[in-house]
Amino acid sequence: MSELKDLEITYDKPNWCPGCGDWAIWVSLKNAIVALNLNPWEVVLVSGIGCSSKLPYWVKTYGFNGLHGRPMPVAEGIKLANSGLTVIVIGGDGDQYGEGTNHLIHAARRNIDLTLIVHNNQIYGLTTGQYSPTTDIGEKNKATPTPTVEAPVNPLSLAISAGATFVARGFAGDHKRETDLIVEGVKHKGFSIIDSMQPCVTFNHKNTYTWFYERVYKVEEKGHNPKDKAKAFALAEQWPLRLPLKEGEKESIPTGIIYKEERLTWGDGILQIAQAPLVKQSVEEIDINPILEELK
Amino acid sequence: MNDIQWLIGGEAGYGIMTTGIMMSKIFTRLGLSVFDYVEYPSLIRGGHNAYYVRASDEEIYCQKRTVDILVALNRETIDKHKHELFENAAVIYDPDTIKVEPNEFASSVLLVPIPLLESTKQVGADKLMVNTVSVGASLALFYSDFEILRRIMEDTFGRKGENIVYLNVNTSKAGFDYVLKNFSKKFSVSFEKKPQKNILIGGAEAVAFGAIRAGLKFASIYPMTPINPILTTLVSSALKYSIVVKEPEDEISAISMAIGASFAGVRSMTATSGGGFSLMVESLGLSAQTETPLVIVEGMRPGPATGFPTWTEQGDLRFVMHAAQGDFPRIIIAPGDVSEAFSQTLHAFNLADKYQLPIIVLVDKYLMEGHATAPIENFKALSSKYRIERGKMLSDQETEGMVDYERYELTDDGISPRSIPGQKGGIGFSGSDEHDERGLYNEEADNRIKMMDKRFKKLEFAIREFPAPVLYGKKDAPLTIIAFGSSKMPIMQAMKWLEKEGIDANLLQVSYLAPFPGAAVERIIKSAKKTLVVEGNKTGQFEGLIREHTGLVVDHNFRKYDGRPFYPEEIVAKVKEILCQNLKI
Ligand SMILES: Cc1ncc(C[n+]2csc(CCOP(=O)(O)OP(=O)(O)O)c2C)c(N)n1
Ligand code: SF4
């Protein structure tokens, strides 16, 4: 059980730009931990590198800040070693949809029971504004002399097809809803991803709060059933666009729980941890004589 | 003294590996000293495989050049290995499938034509079992009781069901009976069964057994020659010892998962070869920077790139020593034989936990995929003596009432008490950025110096528990050979042969390579009469290291980079060449 004040650290505070979407996700995550009644010492936040990945520094749970693109396998190792922990992975779009995509795909297919929150600002923040795997097609910035011609990664379609069992989209402009999505994602037994749209006020001058407010809608208000996989795919495919927008058209961006499925998790299939987490198992008195005898 | 080498050659896919192990097992159960070594190309079918098994009633250390029993499953084997045949050697082959002319061999060679293929048909076995017939046939050349092989077949195939045992026993018995009837007593060597004190263990198995005994709970390994048998051995013991063994999507994931598991509080490891280690490099630094204990096994094979996948080399020494950006402490241990592979792996896990840093166990294809006999009592003694030391890992009780725990607290020995997730008072932060005592990123100059010094301080304490480099042989020998890793085996063999000729050489083996024991090596080199560095790479990576840390230049070197291990004969010749040179002067 925890209260917000238990999650505060006293010796530092976030250094994100004022107005950055990371703030809202930070608040939402803390609120979610409280709402979920989790003990802070039983939560591990694992992150990569980027503005967003600094988040764990400012929450008083266990934290591991690793390498760019690589928080996922570290988190998987943590979860397999101690299945009693709540493990949450934090990364940016560069971290998760660029450098570390391979790990994301495999974590999803394994359906390991952890939650991934991607701060998707469609730009590289920490390295000062180069385009990212989710930058809208046709955008131009310091890493591309002409508008991008690369179709962006579609995180939701990717996650569904890779085998993720909880796929949602959040938006930093609505932190209450973001909190609810994190709560649902953590509660879900299996691999959860919350692709969270996070305006970067310093480098991304296109995908701003206002831009999103004019385009986002809530899938549940349209009666979406997240168990309907075909529909989920169709929603996922609504945005981002793989071709530049035609004159007079406007994007429509679905948010909320897009897809949900119950499936055996990776941990469920591992007999060695069926009784107790690995970390709780005794390593005293290991007798290897029987296997030595077999080599006679 | 009897000392023979058996060799089976044939196309890949004909069970050469299983046959080789079977033969090694026979010799082991006869109470002999055994070593085996396999050469094969990076192919699954076709291509030439050669499995050497050497056995002796005296202690041996490695393979040798000459062959005493050659089993040729195809003509290519005869062409390729004819020149290796020793006086009075026997050649087992199937006259129905291979054409052999008696005059292509020396007159002392015993030809043993046997209808291998026909024998499988008579028993009702698949033609792929010709190799099994040849095992029985080989046995009959030097031992007259089939029971020993029957027992091995039962032990090996019992789990697969009666029919498999039946087929294996009967095919091998067919070969055995045929040779006993037609060729018995014609072969010059025969063995007596001695009390069996040894087990037959592969280098990879020894590493895996060490890890299991050390309390390994998690391993993530992406397959790559030559460390695959570590994965196989761990998997076959995974349920018995409750170890989670995973094959992840790539080596980056392998090392990262192992780091995660270790961070969460269990002993973990990964293993790879040079190519996979290349992918792990960034995370190696992560282990050091976050001070997360980790054991990595690096099995060398000739590089660069895909190189020579199924062959051996000692060319990654400098790579593992310098891999990853920045300066950070690491420990590198290179075991020289199967017994050390076991004992040094045990030690590696204690070192990792006590000093909270990455430990690299540096091995190679030669050690990983070869098997050797060693006294079972030695392993049992090491195992019962072993204590798992987890260093400054905090218990639940210790963390219970703690407030303001700091993961990177500065201490006299540089080692900070370590909490693990789940412990109430131990909430802490591990960061890959440079950080302060709390783990918070920190870019101040003085903090940077404190933290760098803290991490390196740990090494000063770690080296105190390194065993000193060992000097094998007579102290005042006219030549000191210096080596690391698996080269120890052929060098030990060469020294023994030289001794019989009245020539002395000793061996300085350096197993703990980083931090390098410069002072100890310097002392030994200074008191040596002549020095010779033997190492399996082109550029003298180890020789350079000696010079770097001692300021001394060795007199001679012997380097090999053709993918083959050192042969004791080559080392004998080299030693003689050096010592004779001295005589001339
Ligand atoms: C291996 C490696 N490559 C590159 C970098 C440099 N780098 C740091 S953060 C980053 C991208 C940041 O973008 P994102 O992951 O989307 O996070 P954001 O800063 O936008 O939150 C890059 C390329 C790095 N730290 N490590
Ligand atoms: S650069 Fe962008 S992503 Fe980074 S803190 Fe500032 S606003 Fe946020």
Side-chain angles (χ1 to χ4, degrees):
Chain A
M1 217 178 318
S2 56
E3 295 174 42
L4 267 182
K5 68 168 180 29
D6 300 331
L7 298 171
E8 304 295 345
I9 59 151
T10 49
Y11 47 82
D12 199 37
K13 53 184 185 314
N15 52 22
W16 293 304
C17 307
C20 170
D22 288 337
W23 292 93
I25 299 174
W26 175 62
V27 169
S28 305
L29 176 61
K30 287 189 293 175
N31 285 333
I33 292 172
V34 173
L36 285 158
N37 254 329
L38 298 173
N39 291 320
W41 59 91
E42 286 170 338
V43 176
V44 190
L45 303 182
V46 188
S47 66
I49 296 296
C51 296
S52 40
S53 286
K54 292 188 173 168
L55 186 150
Y57 279 117
W58 303 304
V59 184
K60 198 164 166 64
T61 61
Y62 278 88
F64 189 98
N65 171 240
L67 298 172
H68 187 46
R70 314 298 170 197
M72 186 62 75
V74 172
E76 289 176 271
I78 294 171
K79 185 70 186 182
L80 291 179
N82 188 351
S83 39
L85 300 170
T86 298
V87 181
I88 299 171
V89 180
I90 314 283
D93 42 309
D95 199 83
Q96 288 302 312
Y97 307 144
E99 195 94 343
T101 322
N102 194 26
H103 307 308
L104 190 166
I105 291 170
H106 292 277
R109 84 177 157 89
R110 291 170 184 137
N111 197 28
I112 184 164
D113 184 18
L114 49 79
T115 305
L116 166 65
I117 302 172
V118 185
H119 298 222
N120 186 354
N121 57 10
Q122 303 174 260
I123 204 107
Y124 283 2
L126 194 62
T127 43
T128 67
Q130 300 82 355
Y131 72 107
S132 93
T134 49
T135 297
D136 283 339
I137 192 162
E139 282 306 287
K140 183 169 170 318
N141 63 36
K142 65 162 70 164
T144 158
T146 52
T148 64
V149 290
E150 296 171 50
V153 165
N154 186 318
L156 306 185
S157 308
L158 178 74
I160 299 170
S161 61
T165 52
F166 180 98
V167 179
R169 176 177 285 129
F171 170 40
D174 186 348
H175 72 86
K176 287 215 175 69
R177 185 167 164 76
E178 176 75 8
T179 303
D180 293 344
L181 290 175
I182 297 173
V183 167
E184 289 308 311
V186 172
K187 273 206 227 153
H188 174 75
K189 201 161 177 299
F191 184 83
S192 312
I193 171 173
I194 302 154
D195 179 52
S196 304
M197 302 319 298
Q198 171 247 319
C200 165
V201 294
T202 307
F203 297 111
N204 188 337
H205 303 300
K206 177 190 173 191
N207 311 94
T208 61
Y209 287 99
T210 320
W211 188 86
F212 278 108
Y213 283 130
E214 287 169 358
R215 286 164 177 80
V216 292
Y217 73 93
K218 299 179 175 169
V219 292
E220 62 277 17
E221 287 176 0
K222 302 250 160 118
H224 175 58
N225 172 11
K227 301 218 157 107
D228 183 340
K229 197 166 189 171
K231 188 74 197 305
F233 254 119
L235 287 181
E237 286 294 310
Q238 277 183 357
W239 188 79
L241 305 176
R242 295 202 175 88
L243 285 171
L245 213 55
K246 292 198 193 85
E247 279 273 317
E249 281 179 353
K250 192 168 164 191
E251 301 90 337
S252 182
I253 304 177
T255 66
I257 303 173
I258 308 291
Y259 182 62
K260 199 169 154 126
E261 171 194 335
E262 305 298 325
R263 198 174 85 225
L264 217 60
T265 71
W266 202 17
D268 292 336
I270 302 174
L271 292 176
Q272 295 91 315
I273 55 174
Q275 303 300 323
L278 285 180
V279 71
K280 301 275 183 217
Q281 297 176 18
S282 168
V283 287
E284 295 307 312
E285 290 166 32
I286 295 168
D287 181 11
I288 59 162
N289 289 356
I291 50 174
L292 283 170
E293 292 289 342
E294 283 177 22
L295 298 182
K296 265 189 169 169
Chain B
M1 192 225 8
N2 279 324
D3 181 339
I4 67 165
Q5 186 156 272
W6 173 93
L7 164 63
I8 185 167
E11 215 179 289
Y14 275 81
I16 308 275
M17 306 284 179
T18 352
T19 318
I21 286 283
M22 199 66 79
M23 211 58 211
S24 290
K25 226 125 208 158
I26 290 176
F27 288 125
T28 306
R29 293 213 179 167
L30 282 172
L32 305 172
S33 179
V34 182
F35 183 91
D36 74 26
Y37 162 70
V38 59
E39 289 186 343
Y40 61 99
S42 187
L43 291 170
I44 302 304
R45 286 220 171 241
H48 183 68
N49 281 12
Y51 203 119
Y52 293 81
V53 179
R54 181 179 166 208
S56 170
D57 38 28
E58 195 172 79
E59 188 176 7
I60 56 167
Y61 303 86
C62 66
Q63 82 293 357
K64 60 179 179 179
R65 278 280 191 219
T66 53
V67 169
D68 301 283
I69 300 176
L70 172 65
V71 178
L73 295 186
N74 57 9
R75 176 66 222 188
E76 189 187 2
T77 301
I78 293 184
D79 297 333
K80 277 202 145 92
H81 300 283
K82 200 158 55 173
H83 67 279
E84 295 170 21
L85 293 173
F86 196 58
E87 283 160 37
N88 301 319
V91 179
I92 297 174
Y93 66 99
D94 187 342
D96 300 335
T97 55
I98 301 177
K99 262 201 115 46
V100 165
E101 302 294 339
N103 61 9
E104 53 179 319
F105 301 100
S107 60
S108 74
V109 167
L110 170 69
L111 290 185
V112 185
I114 138 164
L116 297 171
L117 189 60
E118 185 54 33
S119 306
T120 58
K121 281 191 198 147
Q122 278 169 14
V123 180
D126 190 278
K127 67 174 193 301
L128 281 173
M129 287 185 82
V130 287
N131 57 331
T132 314
V133 185
S134 78
V135 175
S138 303
L139 174 64
L141 283 177
F142 54 80
Y143 195 69
S144 58
D145 186 357
F146 181 75
E147 273 319 291
I148 193 160
L149 185 51
R150 182 194 303 277
R151 290 279 292 277
I152 291 174
M153 293 298 188
E154 285 166 0
D155 293 349
T156 313
F157 299 110
R159 276 181 224 146
K160 295 190 176 169
E162 264 176 46
N163 190 40
I164 302 286
V165 174
Y166 171 87
L167 284 174
N168 277 283
V169 167
N170 284 287
T171 38
S172 54
K173 182 86 167 40
F176 183 86
D177 290 344
Y178 188 90
V179 169
L180 201 66
K181 187 162 151 237
N182 301 296
F183 298 94
S184 88
K185 307 248 163 60
K186 290 195 179 147
F187 187 59
S188 58
V189 179
S190 71
F191 285 106
E192 298 282 305
K193 187 171 176 351
K194 299 205 294 181
Q196 183 192 347
K197 298 201 175 82
N198 290 334
I199 49 171
L200 178 77
I201 187 165
E205 278 171 317
V207 167
F209 279 34
I212 294 169
R213 175 60 189 93
L216 179 78
K217 282 277 138 211
F218 184 86
S220 37
I221 301 174
Y222 191 82
M224 189 166 188
T225 303
I227 53 74
N228 295 336
I230 297 182
L231 179 60
T232 324
T233 308
L234 288 177
V235 166
S236 51
S237 292
L239 292 180
K240 189 179 173 90
Y241 293 97
S242 189
I243 302 168
V244 171
V245 186
K246 286 292 163 198
E247 184 194 313
E249 59 270 27
D250 58 27
E251 286 87 353
I252 298 178
S253 181
I255 188 170
S256 304
M257 283 189 186
I259 288 174
S262 174
F263 170 76
V266 302
R267 284 197 159 176
S268 71
M269 72 177 286
T270 185
T272 186
S273 183
F277 189 76
S278 301
L279 298 186
M280 293 183 177
V281 165
E282 193 185 13
S283 302
L284 173 73
L286 179 68
S287 153
Q289 179 78 344
T290 57
E291 305 197 43
T292 310
L294 182 65
V295 174
I296 309 165
V297 180
E298 212 266 40
M300 296 180 281
R301 66 190 215 187
T306 310
F308 232 2
T310 56
W311 300 84
T312 202
E313 199 167 278
Q314 297 182 297
D316 294 351
L317 173 62
R318 288 291 187 165
F319 176 38
V320 299
M321 196 158 263
H322 303 297
Q325 66 271 32
D327 279 333
F328 60 86
R330 75 189 87 195
I331 291 172
I332 301 172
I333 311 175
D337 56 29
V338 291
S339 299
E340 291 175 3
F342 179 71
S343 63
Q344 292 175 2
T345 302
L346 286 174
H347 195 201
F349 279 95
N350 276 350
L351 288 170
D353 262 342
K354 284 170 79 174
Y355 301 99
Q356 302 178 11
L357 42 71
I359 316 283
I360 297 161
V361 179
L362 186 63
V363 292
D364 55 27
K365 186 265 173 179
Y366 181 45
L367 176 58
M368 284 297 93
E369 294 193 349
H371 299 78
T373 45
I376 189 167
E377 285 314 316
N378 291 4
F379 284 83
K380 287 186 175 172
L382 283 166
S383 170
S384 79
K385 215 174 64 194
Y386 186 66
R387 294 288 162 269
I388 293 177
E389 297 173 35
R390 306 218 58 187
K392 292 194 193 176
M393 203 162 147
L394 295 164
S395 67
D396 293 352
Q397 290 84 329
E398 284 170 311
T399 49
E400 183 67 36
M402 274 170 54
V403 274
D404 295 333
Y405 164 78
E406 294 184 334
R407 172 65 189 92
Y408 302 109
E409 184 191 331
L410 295 171
T411 59
D412 292 341
D413 54 10
I415 309 166
S416 315
R418 179 161 83 101
S419 65
I420 55 166
Q423 292 179 328
K424 192 170 175 185
I427 289 183
F429 196 86
S430 294
S432 79
D433 281 280
E434 188 56 276
H435 42 252
D436 64 14
E437 291 181 74
R438 290 168 297 219
L440 188 70
Y441 58 89
N442 184 305
E443 299 183 3
E444 298 301 324
D446 60 341
N447 177 74
R448 163 74 175 170
I449 293 167
K450 272 189 205 147
M451 282 297 156
M452 285 291 277
D453 292 350
K454 164 208 191 309
R455 290 190 289 269
F456 274 94
K457 185 107 194 158
K458 298 187 288 186
L459 285 183
E460 290 170 26
F461 291 82
I463 51 173
R464 293 185 193 168
E465 54 175 288
F466 284 12
V470 189
L471 191 67
Y472 293 93
K474 291 203 185 114
K475 247 185 118 171
D476 58 350
L479 180 72
T480 296
I481 304 171
I482 314 172
F484 77 98
S486 67
S487 310
K488 175 190 179 188
M489 298 184 284
I491 297 170
M492 294 292 281
Q493 185 65 71
M495 280 162 55
K496 195 155 165 184
W497 284 349
L498 285 161
E499 195 189 326
K500 287 190 180 166
E501 295 185 48
I503 302 169
D504 285 326
N506 57 25
L507 165 66
L508 168 61
Q509 182 206 3
V510 188
S511 290
Y512 287 67
L513 291 161
F516 194 80
V521 171
E522 185 182 337
R523 221 176 308 120
I524 295 172
I525 294 183
K526 279 192 168 151
S527 61
K529 305 220 166 71
K530 281 264 159 202
T531 48
L532 163 69
V533 171
V534 173
E535 62 182 307
N537 59 64
K538 179 163 172 66
T539 54
Q541 301 185 12
F542 180 59
E543 187 180 332
L545 199 63
I546 294 171
R547 187 161 181 181
E548 180 184 325
H549 288 276
T550 64
L552 299 173
V553 183
V554 296
D555 304 312
H556 302 272
N557 62 47
F558 183 20
R559 299 174 192 167
K560 211 174 162 179
Y561 47 91
D562 59 359
R564 277 68 182 165
F566 284 100
Y567 278 82
E569 290 89 345
E570 296 172 322
I571 296 166
V572 164
K574 186 77 190 176
V575 169
K576 285 184 181 170
E577 178 196 315
I578 293 169
L579 292 179
C580 290
Q581 245 175 30
N582 278 0
L583 288 182
K584 272 184 228 148
I585 293 165

